[in-house]
Amino acid sequence: TQLLEQSPQFLSIQEGENLTVYCNSSSVFSSLQWYRQEPGEGPVLLVTVVTGGEVKKLKRLTFQFGDARKDSSLHITAAQPGDTGLYLCAGAKQAGTALIFGKGTTLSVSS
Amino acid sequence: EPEVTQTPSHQVTQMGQEVILRCVPISNHLYFYWYRQILGQKVEFLVSFYNNEISEKSEIFDDQFSVERPDGSNFTLKIRSTKLEDSAMYFCASSEARFRSGEKLFFGSGTQLSVL
């Protein structure tokens, strides 16, 4: 069974700070996705990374896929209270197979 | 934006009872999924469904579980005899094509199942 380990599990910061959350595995994934989940809601896809070393930017969010396609990171610049939520990474070992989720990082940004 | 709809939002049942969780996927989507999330734990894959048959299932999806697409719009998950450990948030998801690199998966808001 593949595991996606996310760290940190909890992160509490002040508005304006930068942060990075990590998603690591000993297995290679064909793709990794990052989701954000609000309480009482389902996960909402933020980005998909496919190529080793790929970097994608979504406004203040920067996503990177490791060269070996075993890990990924999410960096948020100048965090805002609206960024508060649960950030999940999920990977597929092969195209067309089920997603495996990490346990998530709970981010709290206070003003 | 189109969305996946799940009903009910909350379901309380007695241990041993059967429950049916309902989902209406996005209308032009062809692939359907059920995931669950036990409180404080990670989202876990249960089953994927395409062309009226199961295409993949996890170890969690044992004989007590079944899925069905009874008509052109609904996609259901049935648990025949619920156990306490079935208590979880159940998410339905759908995608336009077979999930592959870059394919977007749309999740519903979930059904919180509580087994007493």
Side-chain angles (χ1 to χ4, degrees), chain A residues 32-55:
Chain A
L32 269 177
Q33 297 189 324
W34 284 91
Y35 290 82
R36 181 175 158 188
Q37 186 178 15
E38 301 286 349
E41 299 292 326
V44 176
L45 180 66
L46 296 174
V47 78
T48 301
V49 285
V50 178
T51 307
E54 182 177 5
V55 176

Side-chain angles (χ1 to χ4, degrees), chain A residues 38-75:
Chain A
E38 301 286 349
E41 299 292 326
V44 176
L45 180 66
L46 296 174
V47 78
T48 301
V49 285
V50 178
T51 307
E54 182 177 5
V55 176
K56 282 192 174 179
K57 291 194 175 183
L58 184 66
K59 297 183 180 177
R60 292 178 293 102
L61 278 59
T62 302
F63 304 86
Q64 185 163 8
F65 201 11
D67 290 341
R69 306 207 318 277
K70 293 182 178 181
D71 55 84
S72 182
S73 64
L74 158 60
H75 181 80

Side-chain angles (χ1 to χ4, degrees), chain B residues 47-85:
Chain B
V47 66
S48 59
F49 190 86
Y50 168 71
N51 198 26
N52 283 319
E53 61 182 28
I54 291 172
S55 50
E56 187 179 359
K57 62 181 180 179
S58 71
E59 295 174 350
I60 302 169
F61 195 87
D62 61 22
D63 292 344
Q64 293 299 312
F65 291 87
S66 62
V67 289
E68 193 178 34
R69 188 157 164 81
D71 53 43
S73 60
N74 290 287
F75 178 52
T76 62
L77 174 69
K78 181 192 290 186
I79 309 175
R80 265 180 269 282
S81 178
T82 51
K83 304 185 288 286
L84 295 176
E85 53 265 38

Side-chain angles (χ1 to χ4, degrees), chain A:
Chain A
T1 301
Q2 305 158 64
L3 290 177
L4 277 170
E5 300 289 341
Q6 290 191 244
S7 61
Q9 188 176 355
F10 300 97
L11 188 56
S12 182
I13 61 172
Q14 294 291 316
E15 182 177 5
E17 292 184 34
N18 301 331
L19 67 113
T20 303
V21 298
Y22 300 92
C23 176
N24 296 297
S25 176
S26 58
S27 300
V28 175
F29 288 88
S30 68
S31 65
L32 269 177
Q33 297 189 324
W34 284 91
Y35 290 82
R36 181 175 158 188
Q37 186 178 15
E38 301 286 349
E41 299 292 326
V44 176
L45 180 66
L46 296 174
V47 78
T48 301
V49 285
V50 178
T51 307
E54 182 177 5
V55 176
K56 282 192 174 179
K57 291 194 175 183
L58 184 66
K59 297 183 180 177
R60 292 178 293 102
L61 278 59
T62 302
F63 304 86
Q64 185 163 8
F65 201 11
D67 290 341
R69 306 207 318 277
K70 293 182 178 181
D71 55 84
S72 182
S73 64
L74 158 60
H75 181 80
I76 302 179
T77 303
Q80 299 176 1
D83 295 327
T84 295
L86 175 65
Y87 289 83
L88 300 165
C89 71
K93 185 178 179 183
Q94 297 173 359
T97 60
L99 278 178
I100 298 166
F101 279 81
K103 289 189 71 172
T105 292
T106 299
L107 173 64
S108 175
V109 183
S110 52
S111 55

Side-chain angles (χ1 to χ4, degrees), chain A residues 3 30-31 33 35 37 40-43 45 48 50 86 88 92 95-99 101-103, chain B residues 35 37 40-45 56 89 91 98-110:
Chain A
L3 290 177
S30 68
S31 65
Q33 297 189 324
Y35 290 82
Q37 186 178 15
E41 299 292 326
L45 180 66
T48 301
V50 178
L86 175 65
L88 300 165
T97 60
L99 278 178
F101 279 81
K103 289 189 71 172
Chain B
Y35 287 79
Q37 187 175 28
Q41 298 188 25
K42 60 185 178 182
V43 176
E44 300 174 294
F45 168 75
E56 187 179 359
M89 179 75 90
F91 292 108
R98 186 179 184 187
F99 179 74
R100 62 182 72 235
S101 302
E103 185 59 45
K104 186 171 182 178
L105 208 59
F106 290 80
F107 283 84
S109 296

